[in-house]
Amino acid sequence: MASMTHDGPEITGGVDTHGLTHHAAVIDPVGRHLPDREFAATIRGYRDLLGWMPSYGTLIAVGVHRRLRRRARAGPGRSRRCGCSGLHAAVRSRPTPRR
């Protein structure tokens, strides 16, 4: 599996997708939570997110959580962007709870 190279520890990223924004976080090899941040759900936001994560180490994988909505397209786009960057992207989908 390819990774984004950077000096420092191996890190894993996680992304929770929403309609207009994505919330991203990184963890270190022993599971400690490193910083998290919100990004716009746009092409520029994806690029910023993928530039931000490796600033904490070597990014080896990204997990993407997406909620299934009638028009939800952010999760698939996000996972495609990770795939295009040579990263392993694991996508988890689940329906949005009814209120």
Side-chain angles (χ1 to χ4, degrees), residues 2-6 9-13 26 49-50 53-54 57-62 87:
S3 66
M4 296 183 80
T5 58
H6 184 278
E10 291 185 343
I11 59 167
T12 301
V26 291
L49 191 155
L50 287 173
M53 283 184 174
T58 301
L59 185 59
I60 59 170
V62 176
L87 291 171

Side-chain angles (χ1 to χ4, degrees), residues 1 12 16 23 44 52 54 76 84 90 92 97:
M1 162 181 28
T12 301
D16 188 12
H23 192 92
R44 181 176 178 165
W52 171 79
C84 291
R92 177 177 177 241

Side-chain angles (χ1 to χ4, degrees), residues 48-82:
D48 291 347
L49 191 155
L50 287 173
W52 171 79
M53 283 184 174
S55 67
Y56 296 95
T58 301
L59 185 59
I60 59 170
V62 176
V64 179
H65 178 259
R66 87 183 155 128
R67 298 189 195 329
L68 296 176
R69 294 187 187 106
R70 189 172 61 187
R71 296 183 182 162
R73 297 175 192 258
R78 177 73 190 101
S79 59
R80 278 194 298 274
R81 292 288 302 162
C82 289

